[in-house]
Amino acid sequence: MADTRCSISLIVNAVRWQQEAVALAELEDIAKPWSLGGLQDYVRLIVGSQLGATFEQIDFVDQRWCRAKANPSDAEAVAAGFAVTTTPHIAGDDMGAGLALDAAESVALNSPDVVVTVGSQMQWQPLRLKLEFSGLQLFELLLSPAGKVVVSGDRVIDLRFRARKEFQSSPVSALFKPMPIAPENVVAEAAKTVAGDDDSFAANAIVGSVKSLANGYGMITRKDGRGDVQFLSGHVKAPGFEFIELGDTLRFDVVRMPNGKWLAQGVVRM
């Protein structure tokens, strides 16, 4: 077997995936809904073709099925090997314009070569910059409403458009596979695991507590155990720096400045 040359972390917006799979199945030229197993193959093919890796040279190091609440496709996600995670940012009214930042940052911790988001665009620029700085490549596979292609770069691929245009031809036909069926005990265990809110996915950014404050700046201890990070008064959102006290819980993102120093930005008092 060939050596693995590309590792992928895959994040799926469950709401958009489910909605668009149903809508796509209703089109006259496509007879059956796509499956997550097919999506995995499609991602391997499309990313591999762009990076020069074969199907056998690609591994998934993390797969997350992100949703605000339980939905009918959770069992399929479990059967396909996804971690089902409660992500409040992905909700019924989410039109695919955003993605929970904690989910993206968590998969990035596995140090993949590529992060692929499905059904959402990563619009939080500090996180995009962080991924690029670490050497990760970002692919966004959109499920755009009514087949409309949203272009934000040459790595945005509209799955619905591709499927309608190229159904029964490789690689899009990989989307259409029999739906895997998860054993009942596996589904029950998954439901138990994801019941309620998962603290690590409770916000749309990194979480930490205020360790120290001084004139115009402070230090935050990250909840994820990755040390302390400094923040400046100008990076605190309303009501502002003067309302922050020692021990307060903050949510924020971390970016690397041109001088190489890491700073917290978009700081919000919770």
Side-chain angles (χ1 to χ4, degrees):
M1 184 182 228
D3 293 336
T4 298
R5 297 184 185 176
C6 180
S7 58
I8 297 175
S9 287
L10 180 63
I11 310 170
V12 178
N13 180 335
V15 170
R16 291 298 312 286
W17 177 261
Q18 184 182 18
Q19 291 173 343
E20 292 300 324
V22 172
L24 188 60
E26 293 174 350
L27 297 176
E28 292 183 2
D29 55 342
I30 297 179
K32 51 188 175 181
W34 45 29
S35 71
L36 286 172
L39 173 66
Q40 292 166 321
D41 288 351
Y42 182 84
V43 168
R44 286 191 181 98
L45 288 166
I46 196 68
V47 172
S49 66
Q50 296 200 29
L51 299 183
T54 65
F55 187 96
E56 293 78 14
Q57 292 172 318
I58 297 176
D59 277 346
F60 286 109
V61 295
D62 197 346
Q63 298 185 126
R64 294 185 186 266
W65 172 256
C66 299
R67 82 292 198 273
K69 58 184 179 180
N71 67 57
S73 294
D74 283 353
E76 183 197 345
V78 172
F82 283 77
V84 181
T85 52
T86 300
T87 311
H89 183 72
I90 296 177
D93 58 353
D94 182 347
M95 294 307 295
L99 187 68
L101 302 184
D102 274 1
E105 190 158 62
S106 294
V107 299
L109 290 177
N110 284 305
S111 301
D113 299 307
V114 178
V115 172
V116 179
T117 64
V118 179
S120 293
Q121 286 181 274
M122 196 178 297
Q123 295 189 334
W124 186 251
Q125 291 304 312
L127 182 54
R128 294 184 74 102
L129 292 173
K130 184 190 301 183
L131 292 177
E132 291 173 4
F133 180 83
S134 65
L136 295 179
Q137 298 198 48
L138 174 65
F139 285 81
E140 295 163 296
L141 306 187
L142 299 187
L143 304 170
S144 54
K148 179 181 178 182
V149 180
V150 182
V151 178
S152 66
D154 60 359
R155 289 180 184 163
V156 174
I157 302 160
D158 188 329
L159 288 182
R160 184 170 177 178
F161 175 78
R162 289 277 185 101
R164 290 172 66 181
K165 182 179 179 182
E166 303 176 35
F167 177 55
Q168 292 184 339
S169 67
S170 182
V172 176
S173 60
L175 286 170
F176 302 92
K177 282 190 163 188
M179 296 287 188
I181 301 175
E184 289 186 10
N185 63 322
V186 173
V187 176
E189 188 61 32
K192 188 188 305 180
T193 302
V194 301
D197 288 338
D198 180 344
D199 242 6
S200 63
F201 291 87
N204 291 333
I206 306 167
V207 176
S209 59
V210 179
K211 179 180 180 179
S212 64
L213 292 169
N215 294 327
Y217 69 93
M219 296 295 295
I220 305 171
T221 298
R222 294 177 56 146
K223 179 182 177 181
D224 57 15
R226 299 179 66 190
D228 299 338
V229 62
Q230 187 181 66
F231 69 101
L232 306 178
S233 60
H235 294 154
V236 179
K237 296 184 179 181
F241 181 81
E242 61 270 23
F243 288 88
I244 291 179
E245 300 178 353
L246 290 176
D248 281 351
T249 299
L250 308 177
R251 62 180 176 88
F252 55 94
D253 197 74
V254 181
V255 296
R256 187 166 187 172
M257 308 307 290
N259 62 4
K261 186 175 183 179
W262 292 90
L263 287 176
Q265 293 191 357
V267 179
V268 179
R269 185 173 180 269
M270 297 177 67

